[in-house]
Every structure is written in structure tokens, then in C-alpha cells.
Amino acid sequence: MSLSGQARLAGVLGWPVSHSLSPALHGFWIQALGLDAAYVPLPVAPAHFEAAVRALGHLGFRGANVTLPHKERAFALCDEVDAAAQATGAVNTLVFEGERIRGRNTDVAGYLGSLDAAGVGTLEGAIVLVLGAGGAARGIVHGLLSRGVDRVLVANRTLSRADALAALLGPRVRPVSWENLADALASCDLLVNTTSLGMVGQAPLMVAIDDLKPTAVVSDIVYRPLVTPLLAAAQGRGHKTVDGLGMLLHQARPGFAAWFGVTPDVTPELRAHLVALLEARD
Ligand code: ATR
């Protein structure tokens, strides 16, 4: 597709950024919608992050996504941030408005959007077990609390990080030790893996799910492989599962809408396009 002199520009800042699926994802929407717009990978080393962001504004970019390892730095340089960014201390979406930089954390809504799209239904009163207490967990726990869950049990290899998450996000968040998961597994309505375990190249996630309630939903934010060993085991037991690709697809919608003026849809065609790209890599 050719660009005019008025093409709208955005991209993704990361280091490295070559693995990012965001250019393919936004490029699919740009093409499908026939927009005069471009979304490009922007490899930027940590030392140059702030200068690069400021330069993007001067270059006429509408904004950018921010991925590892820049999300906390992005938070620090925004002039204003939304509630999800405030709660997580991390920004994954920048929107330039004149000299001002607005930051958002759309990972939170992306995760909730993926549950909604999978037909998980209301989370009101639910008991959730979150595995992991890193940056991803912080956003997901914040989002789940906003949906009225009864409590979130957080299990982490390093218990002090689960304690810190509970201290930060309030009394509905309860730390659970990694060695003592049995009761939490048996009581939860939703199990979420936010650790990197089970990802291609990482150790497997060793959690026995035999005592899960049959109605429990199992979700994993890892999307390489798409069906992680945890999700495969859950499917084998007949649980509803939600894979990590949904979060990636749904977190991208608000940024696209802000930069390019159209709210795009997450369609089966888009999903198939990205699944094919992932399969070609593995
Ligand atoms: P992110 O911001 O993506 O969540 P992170 O802050 O590095 O990344 O958090 C990674 C999570 O995966 C943490 O909960 C981490 O546990 P620790 O806090 O104990 O480090 C978890 N994790 C990573 N490797 C693990 C392993 N081998 N066993 C158990 N948990 C692991």
C-alpha cells in the first residue's frame, strides 16, 4: 500500500523489537481498513529511550506502543497517565498530543477483553488464583479487582513479591506460597499463569491441576506456544481455556483507535494471520 505525505505514523519501541508481533498486527488492520497509515518497529536501546520518544513527537508520530524493557521508563516520562498505568507503574501505549505525552496501560483491558471474547462471563464474586507476581501480574490483578472478584490469591516463587503485590493492591489480594497451592487450586474459579514458565525456551510450569473445579477457567498469558502445557492439560480435563494471543490482540485496539481514528475489530481472520506467523517461527 502506498503512503501519502499525510500518512499517520505509529510504531513499537522495544529492545530488542524484532520478535514483536505488533507491526504485523497493526499492519493487518491498516491494510484491511485501507488507511493512509504506517506502523513500524522501532528498536531503541534503553539509554536512548527518552530521546527517541521525544524525537518521535517531533517527527510527527501520533504515538507508539512500548514493550520490554521500556514500560516503566515510559510511565516516568508521561505528562499524564490513565488509571491502569497509575496502578501498574507501567505504560504500553503512548499518545502524542502537541507537546504532551499521554500514557496508557492497555494490557489490563487487553487481558479482560480476551476473557470477555472467550465468553468467560461475569467475574463478580469469583475466586482467582494468579501464578506470578511480576509486572504482568500487577496489571492483571488490578483488572480483576475492577471486575468485582471476591479475592485474588497470588502465588509466587518469591513469596515477598506476592506480599508486596497484596500490600499494593489491597485486602482482596492474598499471598499464597508456591509450595502450598493445593487449597488455592481446589477453590479457584479462574487460574491465570502470568509467569514466563511454559514459554518456548523456558522451564515448564509444574502445577498439578487435578483438583480444579470442573467449572474453573484456565488462562495463560504465554502465547508461544499458543497451547501451553498448562492449557493442554486443562483442555484434556474439559476446562474452558483462554490463550495469551487474545490479550495481545485486545491490548492493541485502544492505541490503534487513538492514533488512526478507527477502532479495529479482533476477527478470526486476524487471529489466523498471527497464528500462521507464530507457527512459521517455531
Ligand atoms: P513480567 O513483568 O513479565 O511479569 P517479571 O517481573 O520478571 O516479568 O516476572 C516474572 C514472573 O515469573 C515472576 O513472578 C517470577 O517469579 P519470581 O518473582 O520468584 O522471580 C516468575 N518466574 C520466572 N521464572 C520462574 C521459575 N523458574 N519458577 C517460578 N517462577 C518463575
Side-chain angles (χ1 to χ4, degrees):
M1 178 178 299
S2 67
L3 300 173
S4 81
Q6 285 149 31
R8 294 179 178 215
L9 304 175
V12 54
L13 295 147
W15 188 255
V17 80
S18 55
H19 65 283
S20 174
L21 285 174
S22 291
L25 165 53
H26 288 272
F28 181 94
W29 280 327
I30 288 169
Q31 198 163 357
L33 293 162
L35 300 183
D36 184 16
Y39 182 104
V40 294
L42 298 163
V44 175
H48 303 304
F49 180 72
E50 177 161 0
V53 169
R54 307 239 175 251
L56 284 182
H58 296 310
L59 288 164
F61 274 60
R62 300 284 174 137
N65 281 129
V66 179
T67 187
L68 295 176
H70 300 313
K71 291 183 184 184
E72 283 83 15
R73 266 190 203 87
F75 175 81
L77 66 77
C78 287
D79 297 302
E80 58 182 277
V81 296
D82 70 4
Q86 195 71 56
T88 56
V91 156
N92 75 330
T93 303
L94 299 170
V95 180
F96 302 139
E97 284 182 357
E99 291 292 305
R100 291 183 71 74
I101 301 175
R102 283 178 44 213
R104 302 179 62 173
N105 185 317
T106 68
D107 287 331
V108 175
Y111 177 69
L112 296 174
S114 76
L115 295 184
D116 293 340
V120 167
T122 179
L123 293 167
E124 199 80 39
I127 298 173
V128 185
L129 172 56
V130 171
L131 304 177
R138 209 179 329 157
I140 285 173
V141 173
H142 168 75
L144 290 167
L145 292 173
S146 77
R147 287 288 181 94
V149 299
D150 180 78
R151 57 187 180 275
V152 184
L153 310 169
V154 177
N156 198 48
R157 175 180 59 178
T158 312
L159 187 58
S160 59
R161 288 186 90 190
D163 290 336
L165 198 60
L168 185 72
L169 294 177
R172 280 188 290 159
V173 182
R174 317 260 172 87
V176 175
S177 86
W178 192 262
E179 295 74 29
N180 212 354
L181 276 180
D183 287 352
L185 281 162
S187 67
C188 73
D189 302 298
L190 171 65
L191 170 64
V192 191
N193 175 42
T194 73
T195 74
S196 48
L197 297 175
M199 192 189 295
V200 172
Q202 301 279 333
L205 174 63
M206 308 291 267
V207 172
I209 59 169
D210 311 83
D211 292 333
L212 278 183
K213 295 195 273 193
T215 52
V217 176
V218 179
S219 83
D220 202 326
I221 69 164
V222 170
Y223 59 82
R224 286 187 67 208
L226 200 52
V227 182
T228 60
L230 173 67
L231 294 186
Q235 286 168 4
R237 288 174 37 90
H239 293 283
K240 181 189 269 293
T241 61
V242 184
D243 65 47
L245 188 56
M247 178 174 175
L248 179 79
L249 300 179
H250 286 273
Q251 63 76 30
R253 298 176 73 219
F256 191 96
W259 309 317
F260 303 133
V262 190
T263 301
D265 289 326
V266 172
T267 59
E269 292 73 26
L270 171 63
R271 214 184 130 82
H273 177 64
L274 290 188
V275 168
L277 286 178
L278 284 171
E279 282 170 356
R281 283 183 186 183
D282 293 332

